[in-house]
Amino acid sequence: MVMTPEQSPEYPPELSPEEEQYLLSTLKDWSIANGLAVRPAPSFISKEQDPSGVLASTAPVTLFPSLFPRSCFLEGCRIQSAYNELYSAIARDEDWLKSIVEELIGVDDFVSRLWEIHTEVKKEGYAQDLSLGLFRSDYMLHSDPSTTDQGLGLKQVEFNTIASSFGGLSSQVSALHNYLLEIGAYPASSANIIKSDAVQQSSSTSSLAKGLAVAHRAYGKSKGARPLCVLFVVQDPERNVFDQRLLEYALFSEGGIRAFRLPFNRTLENTRLDTDRTLLYTPPHAPSCTYEVTTVYFRAGYSPDDYPKQDDWTARLHLERSRAIKCPSVLTHLAGCKKIQQVLATPHSPHLKRFLPDEERASQVLATFAPIYPLDQSEAGLEARDLATNPESAVRYVLKPQREGGGNNIYRKSIPEFLKKLPQSHWPAYILMEMIEPPPARNAILRNGEVQKGGVICELGVYGVCLWRNGSKEGDKGEILENWEAGYLLRTKGDQSEEGGVAAGFGAVDSCCLLDV
Amino acid sequence: MVMTPEQSPEYPPELSPEEEQYLLSTLKDWSIANGLAVRPAPSFISKEQDPSGVLASTAPVTLFPSLFPRSCFLEGCRIQSAYNELYSAIARDEDWLKSIVEELIGVDDFVSRLWEIHTEVKKEGYAQDLSLGLFRSDYMLHSDPSTTDQGLGLKQVEFNTIASSFGGLSSQVSALHNYLLEIGAYPASSANIIKSDAVQQSSSTSSLAKGLAVAHRAYGKSKGARPLCVLFVVQDPERNVFDQRLLEYALFSEGGIRAFRLPFNRTLENTRLDTDRTLLYTPPHAPSCTYEVTTVYFRAGYSPDDYPKQDDWTARLHLERSRAIKCPSVLTHLAGCKKIQQVLATPHSPHLKRFLPDEERASQVLATFAPIYPLDQSEAGLEARDLATNPESAVRYVLKPQREGGGNNIYRKSIPEFLKKLPQSHWPAYILMEMIEPPPARNAILRNGEVQKGGVICELGVYGVCLWRNGSKEGDKGEILENWEAGYLLRTKGDQSEEGGVAAGFGAVDSCCLLDV
């Protein structure tokens, strides 16, 4: 296997001080000139020092594209449309979703409240039959002797149904690595590895923007002859703003579609529902101009932290009730629960074929599941409790709550102690997942101006766009209208860290240098 | 006249706090995503805080495009090719240039040393017959009852023959203002002024890059079958690096032409001359790879500050001796002396028609000259000495040294005192120029995160590209091979300041909102 440092001691290539200086100065300038940037962390630049926020920094990036087996990369891209189909089908199967979510009610407050929003809207009936998913399926490489691919296969870490981030920066980082290659900033010694047919350009910015555009157009015309817009519901402040702006600019280039950024906590102030629940947005800067919102794109609202007040829940309900297309709807958001992933991935689970009747596609998806167990009173759950509380077996697992976003997982030997402190009634809020054991790899990361070199762990995310009709009448199960793979993300972190969120401070955006292993 | 605050009290439009917030947040994100950026000043972010230099800031920009009479703007663009022709002709007329420069020898050390370089190279003969000029002619609006254009005409501030900057940022700032217009960030009240056929896009990035590309190709093939490159000779550190990088990227997009940044003080270390004086560049990061330099593009070397050591003069000589095309050659650099501008613009001067035989073109150029006087022993010089030493008349003038770049001028009532302290033998190093009196205008500038509103002064720069043959044999006066107008720059400063260099800390990049006055 070419991926190990033992077998590829030359990767990434060693740089002389002059080579490193050239590569870094080129990288630092190119990144700012091309929006591969973030707002600096308050720990780097304080609010007092830059009160109005004009400073930006190169986003955390790898100096080199990371090696990735071509067959695994292509497999991830190939099965994305099946994943889109799977999660769209789950989001449309309210009864099944209910049976899963009910197990979490009372133990996971966040899931419970999201479900309440759905039931509340259902009472009066949904005003919009279309749903949009901008998904991202995250994988790690896993050594698995059962695959034909020299033991390497993709194993899914999680499936994101809301606020799948880094689509904007991902296109830029692969463009950066390609640029560095083209101008000869990589040493000649790596020319047989880092080459133009290997450094994979991600289409994520334009593909995701096209997804928003397709929903925007599918919404139809304004009944009130109002101007139409897409609403990016965002956190405020947002350090990762350029990632989002790149999508906004691509959407605007693609046929002049207007988008506005709405801080989630200003939803009730700046939007209202018309009599037919048309969502109307009045920009604070243009109070005399009211837009009709075709699509609500959530880049906030995925974490309990986004709902400090009751008003925030009222806001989510308000948006869900509206006639705008939601990306995602509450049901689609819920379909991204770890519990769902666990139910699908519990060994011998019967559920996958319910949603993916095509056997070949189902088996391709199934092959990417790492074993995941519930921590409930079921047979599998009781077995898992033994695994998790025993320090010897726990080291092979990670404990995850339902919600998205890094920083909440409990790893390996910390699990038994964590569970000891948690009332058993709350255990079902977590799922137990076998740790994916990626092959060792090496790279160098530029973060806040510092270069860190060493062992890294890479996570491949494949984006997917899916637009579907939910089915508004009894017996109508809806249908998928658009479904495509939408580029990729590679996120790379030092192998000392166990969390992978770049914005959370532990990793970098990266691109794939494909290897024929 | 529409330009005065009295008559256009609505410009720039007043913004509500919400409008200003929207405009600023849009502007701050767009600028970073599109390279309209600078490295922060050390007074803003210290070297200790960001030792490796990953931070960038929005370049100082105006919030609105500034109003500018369409006819004056078009006139500036129209006459640029005549200006290119004029300065190319001056640079080719060594005898005439010598007669002018000789007056400065002994009083202006910088000019003297540049001239020495020319004479030194001339002894052995120039190895390259082609010269490239990336020029910029700078103007202010001047109230002049003699013009038909409601009293407004362009008066030239200076003509830059070396290191004409801001071509990269200028394209971006006009794109920014157009973007702000398109997304409705400007209030509806200004819709009849800020409109798409008024906000003028500058083509400077692509036009200047095309100029470098044309020279690069005109150089011909490498005799040694070496790879070819363009060399950007730069200051180090350079805060305005993105301005330069944008040209480099455009040059690379335009047919893959490679460019390297060479700090001027590393010239002798990293370049050498082959036996036929071919200029060879060995990048420090790729010591085994030697490039043949087709074109030396000076973004340094224009100021005495760039020559702290004798080695720096040796480096300039070394480059001038080479077979690379210089942008500019030493003679072209010298053609940009204020003294030349003064000789051309001294009332009743006979010199212009020598270089611009076409009467119509000459008269168009002449119309843009503000009166400029020498401070020498000539009749005009003695008259000017009276004007400059008399506090009553001095207030209408500015005293300028020969060299380019802001920060060295003496204004109005400071002139008599300044001259009192200067030995009279050094007076001829300066020229005395009538102050151009631009009509009052208003705008808002974002600088280091602060918005400053109020009266402003605008300076229009028109870029020009000119490639010519100098004429290598006796009696061959050479010829112009390429000549075009290459976009524009608007630089705007608060009217309290009397210097105009944005990078020097007194102004902002801007774009023209054309008015039919």
Side-chain angles (χ1 to χ4, degrees):
Chain A
M1 200 191 62
V2 194
M3 301 289 298
T4 69
E6 289 77 19
Q7 285 158 299
S8 270
E10 76 282 12
Y11 203 86
E14 276 294 312
L15 299 177
S16 68
E18 293 78 13
E19 285 173 333
E20 180 162 317
Q21 202 276 331
Y22 181 69
L23 193 150
L24 282 175
S25 67
T26 306
L27 184 158
K28 285 185 283 193
D29 290 345
W30 191 97
S31 58
I32 295 294
N34 291 276
L36 181 51
V38 292
R39 294 292 177 193
S43 57
F44 184 15
I45 299 295
S46 68
K47 178 85 183 160
E48 291 69 42
Q49 196 170 5
D50 181 24
S52 62
V54 289
L55 289 172
S57 161
T58 293
V61 290
T62 58
L63 270 51
F64 302 90
S66 283
L67 301 183
F68 206 90
R70 186 184 297 270
S71 56
C72 294
F73 176 83
L74 294 176
E75 181 66 6
C77 295
R78 191 163 65 103
I79 61 175
Q80 185 58 37
S81 65
Y83 263 118
N84 294 343
E85 190 182 329
L86 169 61
Y87 276 87
S88 163
I90 293 173
R92 277 179 280 145
D93 195 334
E94 190 208 350
D95 290 341
W96 186 84
L97 208 46
K98 187 180 179 184
S99 71
I100 305 296
V101 165
E102 271 175 348
E103 295 187 39
L104 294 170
I105 288 176
V107 294
D108 188 311
D109 189 50
F110 188 59
V111 168
S112 306
R113 298 201 73 162
L114 286 173
W115 184 257
E116 276 168 29
I117 285 180
H118 161 64
T119 53
E120 189 102 0
V121 177
K122 203 192 164 191
K123 267 187 230 157
E124 57 177 336
Y126 274 87
Q128 174 58 257
D129 194 29
L130 299 176
S131 282
L132 177 68
L134 298 189
F135 298 140
R136 199 186 68 220
S137 184
D138 291 339
Y139 308 93
M140 281 188 189
L141 288 173
H142 183 68
S143 302
D144 182 351
S146 74
T147 68
T148 55
D149 191 1
Q150 301 201 17
L152 277 183
L154 287 180
K155 288 294 173 193
Q156 190 180 52
V157 177
E158 64 178 358
F159 191 87
N160 302 283
T161 60
I162 183 168
S164 308
S165 56
F166 296 114
L169 297 189
S170 182
S171 292
Q172 299 311 87
V173 71
S174 50
L176 165 69
H177 288 154
N178 268 307
Y179 178 74
L180 292 170
L181 166 61
E182 283 172 23
I183 64 159
Y186 293 133
S189 63
S190 63
N192 60 336
I193 299 176
I194 313 181
K195 46 193 179 181
S196 62
D197 64 345
V199 182
Q200 194 64 21
Q201 176 64 41
S202 174
S203 67
S204 43
T205 302
S206 58
S207 279
L208 294 172
K210 195 177 146 217
L212 290 168
V214 156
H216 178 83
R217 294 195 184 103
Y219 176 88
K221 289 186 180 162
S222 164
K223 291 183 194 162
R226 290 199 166 88
L228 299 173
C229 76
V230 172
L231 214 50
F232 283 37
V233 174
V234 297
Q235 296 175 339
D236 183 31
E238 172 60 82
R239 288 187 48 223
N240 195 28
V241 63
F242 302 107
D243 181 50
Q244 302 173 356
R245 288 292 197 183
L246 291 165
L247 291 190
E248 183 187 329
Y249 302 150
L251 186 59
F252 190 61
S253 310
E254 148 110 27
I257 297 171
R258 287 303 312 279
F260 293 97
R261 295 174 63 77
L262 174 68
F264 184 39
N265 62 15
R266 303 209 30 172
T267 302
L268 297 176
E269 205 171 334
N270 297 336
T271 70
R272 63 188 172 85
L273 298 185
D274 211 351
T275 45
D276 64 348
R277 288 190 269 158
T278 296
L279 183 61
L280 301 177
Y281 170 68
T282 305
H285 69 278
S288 63
C289 186
T290 295
Y291 285 80
E292 180 165 340
V293 180
T294 64
T295 310
V296 177
Y297 175 44
F298 284 96
R299 291 295 293 258
Y302 56 84
S303 153
D305 300 342
D306 289 332
Y307 302 79
K309 296 187 189 158
Q310 177 53 38
D311 265 3
D312 302 311
W313 286 106
T314 309
R316 184 71 188 263
L317 173 63
H318 168 85
L319 294 174
E320 190 69 10
R321 291 183 63 224
S322 80
R323 204 165 66 79
I325 298 172
K326 268 73 68 184
C327 176
S329 68
V330 162
L331 287 183
T332 309
H333 182 174
L334 283 167
C337 279
K338 295 293 176 298
K339 182 76 191 167
I340 306 281
Q341 192 190 1
Q342 170 254 301
V343 165
L344 295 171
T346 298
H348 318 298
S349 160
H351 297 289
L352 182 59
K353 64 178 163 218
R354 176 187 179 101
F355 302 109
L356 266 185
D358 182 306
E359 276 185 33
E360 194 188 334
R361 287 161 74 78
S363 75
Q364 288 161 355
V365 165
L366 183 63
T368 64
F369 290 167
I372 311 182
Y373 304 91
L375 280 184
D376 57 17
Q377 306 276 2
S378 68
E379 195 177 334
L382 293 173
E383 261 177 57
R385 288 178 176 208
D386 286 344
L387 292 168
T389 50
N390 180 339
E392 269 180 47
S393 49
V395 297
R396 295 197 313 276
Y397 292 90
V398 52
L399 196 64
K400 294 183 173 187
Q402 298 305 316
R403 50 184 165 279
E404 310 255 344
N408 301 303
N409 297 340
I410 297 99
Y411 290 92
R412 304 186 193 258
K413 63 175 195 281
S414 313
I415 299 173
E417 204 175 339
F418 178 84
L419 287 176
K420 225 175 265 172
K421 291 182 188 155
L422 192 70
Q424 287 211 8
S425 60
H426 282 67
W427 289 18
Y430 291 83
I431 57 116
L432 188 73
M433 183 169 178
E434 235 179 78
M435 285 295 289
I436 303 169
E437 305 287 357
R442 300 177 63 83
N443 208 330
I445 290 174
L446 175 70
R447 241 197 116 72
N448 292 342
E450 267 177 66
V451 175
Q452 292 159 351
K453 296 173 194 178
V456 294
I457 291 173
C458 297
E459 193 171 314
L460 175 71
V462 180
Y463 295 97
V465 168
C466 195
L467 178 72
W468 67 87
R469 220 169 42 73
N470 287 298
S472 48
K473 290 172 198 150
E474 197 62 43
D476 174 3
K477 290 187 164 183
E479 62 180 330
I480 288 178
L481 305 174
E482 303 280 354
N483 177 1
W484 68 78
E485 175 266 305
Y488 81 98
L489 164 73
L490 195 68
R491 253 192 315 184
T492 293
K493 57 184 176 180
D495 59 8
Q496 302 308 305
S497 143
E498 288 189 306
E499 285 289 345
V502 172
F506 299 87
V509 289
D510 192 355
S511 74
C512 287
C513 182
L514 299 182
L515 268 187
D516 298 295
V517 285
Chain B
M1 201 189 65
V2 194
M3 302 288 298
T4 68
E6 290 77 18
Q7 284 157 301
S8 272
E10 77 281 14
Y11 203 87
E14 277 293 313
L15 298 178
S16 68
E18 293 79 12
E19 286 172 333
E20 180 161 318
Q21 202 277 330
Y22 181 69
L23 192 149
L24 282 175
S25 66
T26 306
L27 183 159
K28 284 184 283 192
D29 290 346
W30 191 97
S31 57
I32 295 294
N34 291 275
L36 181 51
V38 291
R39 294 290 178 196
S43 57
F44 183 16
I45 300 293
S46 69
K47 178 86 183 161
E48 290 70 41
Q49 196 170 6
D50 180 24
S52 63
V54 288
L55 288 172
S57 160
T58 294
V61 289
T62 58
L63 272 52
F64 303 90
S66 283
L67 301 183
F68 206 91
R70 186 184 297 268
S71 56
C72 294
F73 175 84
L74 294 177
E75 181 66 8
C77 296
R78 192 162 66 101
I79 61 175
Q80 185 58 36
S81 65
Y83 263 117
N84 294 343
E85 189 182 331
L86 169 61
Y87 276 86
S88 163
I90 291 172
R92 277 179 280 143
D93 195 334
E94 189 208 350
D95 291 341
W96 186 83
L97 209 46
K98 185 180 180 186
S99 72
I100 305 296
V101 164
E102 272 176 347
E103 295 187 40
L104 295 170
I105 288 175
V107 294
D108 188 309
D109 189 50
F110 188 61
V111 168
S112 305
R113 300 200 72 161
L114 286 172
W115 184 256
E116 276 168 29
I117 285 179
H118 161 64
T119 53
E120 189 103 0
V121 178
K122 202 191 165 190
K123 268 186 230 158
E124 59 177 334
Y126 273 88
Q128 176 56 258
D129 194 28
L130 298 176
S131 283
L132 177 67
L134 298 189
F135 299 140
R136 200 186 67 221
S137 184
D138 291 339
Y139 307 93
M140 281 187 188
L141 288 173
H142 183 68
S143 301
D144 182 351
S146 74
T147 69
T148 54
D149 191 1
Q150 302 204 18
L152 278 182
L154 288 180
K155 288 294 172 191
Q156 190 180 52
V157 176
E158 64 178 359
F159 191 88
N160 302 283
T161 61
I162 183 168
S164 309
S165 57
F166 296 114
L169 297 190
S170 182
S171 291
Q172 300 310 88
V173 70
S174 50
L176 165 69
H177 288 153
N178 267 308
Y179 178 74
L180 292 170
L181 166 62
E182 282 171 22
I183 64 158
Y186 293 133
S189 64
S190 63
N192 61 335
I193 298 177
I194 313 180
K195 48 192 178 181
S196 62
D197 65 346
V199 182
Q200 194 65 21
Q201 176 63 43
S202 174
S203 67
S204 43
T205 302
S206 58
S207 278
L208 294 172
K210 197 178 145 218
L212 290 168
V214 156
H216 178 83
R217 296 197 183 103
Y219 176 88
K221 288 184 183 167
S222 164
K223 291 182 194 163
R226 291 199 167 88
L228 300 174
C229 77
V230 172
L231 215 49
F232 283 38
V233 174
V234 298
Q235 297 175 339
D236 184 30
E238 172 60 82
R239 288 187 48 224
N240 195 27
V241 64
F242 302 107
D243 180 50
Q244 302 173 358
R245 288 290 198 185
L246 291 167
L247 292 190
E248 183 186 331
Y249 302 151
L251 186 59
F252 190 61
S253 311
E254 146 110 27
I257 298 171
R258 287 301 315 277
F260 293 98
R261 295 173 63 77
L262 173 68
F264 183 41
N265 61 17
R266 304 207 30 171
T267 301
L268 297 177
E269 204 171 334
N270 298 336
T271 70
R272 63 186 172 88
L273 298 185
D274 210 350
T275 46
D276 65 347
R277 287 190 270 157
T278 295
L279 182 62
L280 300 177
Y281 170 68
T282 305
H285 70 277
S288 63
C289 187
T290 294
Y291 285 80
E292 180 165 340
V293 179
T294 65
T295 311
V296 177
Y297 175 43
F298 285 96
R299 291 294 292 257
Y302 55 85
S303 152
D305 300 342
D306 289 333
Y307 301 80
K309 296 185 189 161
Q310 176 55 36
D311 265 3
D312 302 311
W313 286 107
T314 310
R316 184 70 188 265
L317 173 64
H318 169 85
L319 295 174
E320 190 70 9
R321 289 183 64 225
S322 82
R323 205 165 66 80
I325 298 171
K326 269 73 68 186
C327 175
S329 67
V330 162
L331 288 184
T332 309
H333 183 173
L334 283 168
C337 279
K338 295 293 176 297
K339 181 77 190 169
I340 307 281
Q341 193 191 0
Q342 170 253 300
V343 165
L344 295 171
T346 299
H348 317 297
S349 159
H351 297 288
L352 182 60
K353 63 179 162 217
R354 176 186 180 104
F355 302 109
L356 267 185
D358 182 306
E359 276 186 33
E360 196 188 333
R361 286 162 74 80
S363 74
Q364 287 161 354
V365 164
L366 183 64
T368 64
F369 290 166
I372 311 182
Y373 303 91
L375 279 183
D376 57 16
Q377 307 275 2
S378 68
E379 194 178 335
L382 294 174
E383 261 177 56
R385 289 178 175 207
D386 285 343
L387 292 168
T389 50
N390 180 339
E392 267 180 49
S393 50
V395 298
R396 295 197 313 275
Y397 291 91
V398 52
L399 196 65
K400 296 183 172 187
Q402 298 305 316
R403 51 184 165 279
E404 310 255 343
N408 301 302
N409 297 340
I410 297 100
Y411 290 93
R412 302 184 194 260
K413 64 176 192 283
S414 312
I415 299 173
E417 205 174 339
F418 177 85
L419 287 176
K420 224 176 265 174
K421 292 179 188 155
L422 191 73
Q424 284 213 8
S425 60
H426 282 67
W427 288 19
Y430 291 82
I431 56 113
L432 187 73
M433 183 169 177
E434 234 179 78
M435 286 294 289
I436 303 170
E437 305 287 358
R442 300 178 63 83
N443 208 330
I445 291 174
L446 175 71
R447 239 198 118 72
N448 292 343
E450 268 176 65
V451 175
Q452 293 159 348
K453 296 173 194 177
V456 294
I457 291 173
C458 297
E459 194 170 315
L460 175 73
V462 180
Y463 295 97
V465 168
C466 195
L467 178 72
W468 67 88
R469 218 167 46 70
N470 288 297
S472 48
K473 290 171 196 150
E474 196 65 40
D476 174 3
K477 291 189 165 181
E479 62 181 328
I480 287 176
L481 304 175
E482 302 280 355
N483 177 1
W484 67 78
E485 174 266 305
Y488 81 97
L489 163 72
L490 196 68
R491 252 190 318 182
T492 293
K493 57 184 176 179
D495 59 9
Q496 303 307 305
S497 143
E498 288 189 306
E499 285 290 345
V502 172
F506 299 87
V509 288
D510 192 357
S511 73
C512 287
C513 181
L514 300 182
L515 267 187
D516 299 295
V517 285

